[in-house]
């Protein structure tokens, strides 16, 4: 396949859909279109009809949305899609590639799907170990290799609903673990007895002390006995719901980061917004600052595009 002048980045998650027309060389975003038609919703609509196959149904939606990009689209371009589109509820299921995976993405499984009436599709698989799976985060990791390759080994942290810790050495991603930190926090906050003791609040430096207290307990594997103390603190010590909110945040994040306490490699934090603030505070509470690298916002914003660009180049070689 010849490397196209432009490509269409398809970021199709569980709950949202995004297309971006990209200049292949500069990664400049030329046009963008988003909808709330996530993979889950699209799959449900596919199951509710019987005229089209699963691949045809998803292809039709893709074609219809490509027409809404504010630009002339040539069939010489290519659609690059990673993440959930290659899952069982996506367009075409691909097996997970086995770890380890080289920095250039050549070990990922891909499928080239040609079309007559829209740009061809390069579909990219996820990755797996013997005990864990991911779809999408591996492409973000590949998009960050310019910085990662400056270090012999380390761990890349991708915070979120299901946080990923991806270990690498000698320009190879060799292992990863998933932590349900975000989902557990939401579940505890909304669906347990602790919900009445928690009040969501915007971050303020005044919450630092109680947040780090939660981190300390999480690092010490004291999360089970610390959870109900949130309720007790409300009743006995008159601790505010806002303080409890950040204590719980610290407890969950500390528990996630506990395995990094004896880490000798560099820790790379790929997070923005409140995640960047909290994870950086937590990491700095037990690691020397020179061991932590925090990615700048503009690098993170282009991580997926850079990863897709790298895979496109690798595939075209």
């Amino acid at each position: 396949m010849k490397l196209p002048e432009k490509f269409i980045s398809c970021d199709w998650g569980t709950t949202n859909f995004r297309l971006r027309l990209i200049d292949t060389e500069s990664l400049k975003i030329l046009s963008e279109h988003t909808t709330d038609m996530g993979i889950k919703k699209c799959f449900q609509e596919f199951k509710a009809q019987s005229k089209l196959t699963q691949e045809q149904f998803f292809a039709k939606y893709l074609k219809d949305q490509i027409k809404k990009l504010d630009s002339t689209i040539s069939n010489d371009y290519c659609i690059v899609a990673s993440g959930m589109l290659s899952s069982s509820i996506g367009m075409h299921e691909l097996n997970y590639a086995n770890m380890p995976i080289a920095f250039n993405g050549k070990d990922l499984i891909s499928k080239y799907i040609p079309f007559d009436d829209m740009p061809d599709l390069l579909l990219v698989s996820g990755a797996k170990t013997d005990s864990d799976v991911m779809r999408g985060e591996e492409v973000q990791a590949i998009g960050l290799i310019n910085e990662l390759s400056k270090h012999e080994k380390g761990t890349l942290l991708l915070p979120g609903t299901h946080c990923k810790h991806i270990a690498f050495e000698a320009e190879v991603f060799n292992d990863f673990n998933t932590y349900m930190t975000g989902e557990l926090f939401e579940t505890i906050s909304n669906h347990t007895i602790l919900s009445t003791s928690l009040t969501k609040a915007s971050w303020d430096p005044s919450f630092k002390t109680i947040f780090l207290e939660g981190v300390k307990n999480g690092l010490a594997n004291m999360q089970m006995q610390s959870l109900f103390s949130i309720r007790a603190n409300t009743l006995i010590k008159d601790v505010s719901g806002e303080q409890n909110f950040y204590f719980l945040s610290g407890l969950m994040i500390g528990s996630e980061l506990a395995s990094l306490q004896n880490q000798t490699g560099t820790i790379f934090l790929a997070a923005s917004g409140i995640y960047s603030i909290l994870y950086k505070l937590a990491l700095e509470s037990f690691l020397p600052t020179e061991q932590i690298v925090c990615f700048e916002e503009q690098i993170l914003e282009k991580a997926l595009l850079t990863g897709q660009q790298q895979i496109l180049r690798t595939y075209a070689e």
Side-chain angles (χ1 to χ4, degrees), residues 8-9 16 35 41 68 82 102-103 145 159 198:
I8 298 172
S9 167
N16 291 287
T35 76
K41 183 177 178 181
K68 297 179 182 180
S82 51
F103 270 16
I145 60 174
L198 300 165

Side-chain angles (χ1 to χ4, degrees), residues 196-213:
T196 58
S197 300
L198 300 165
T199 303
K200 186 175 181 179
S202 298
W203 172 255
D204 184 274
S206 63
F207 295 127
K208 178 180 177 180
T209 299
I210 198 160
F211 170 76
L212 289 178
E213 182 183 337

Side-chain angles (χ1 to χ4, degrees), residues 7 22-30 302 305-307 309:
F7 72 93
I22 307 298
D23 180 90
T24 303
E25 186 61 34
S26 68
L27 286 184
K28 181 180 179 181
I29 300 172
L30 305 174
K302 285 198 171 182
L305 299 180
T306 306
Q309 177 199 53

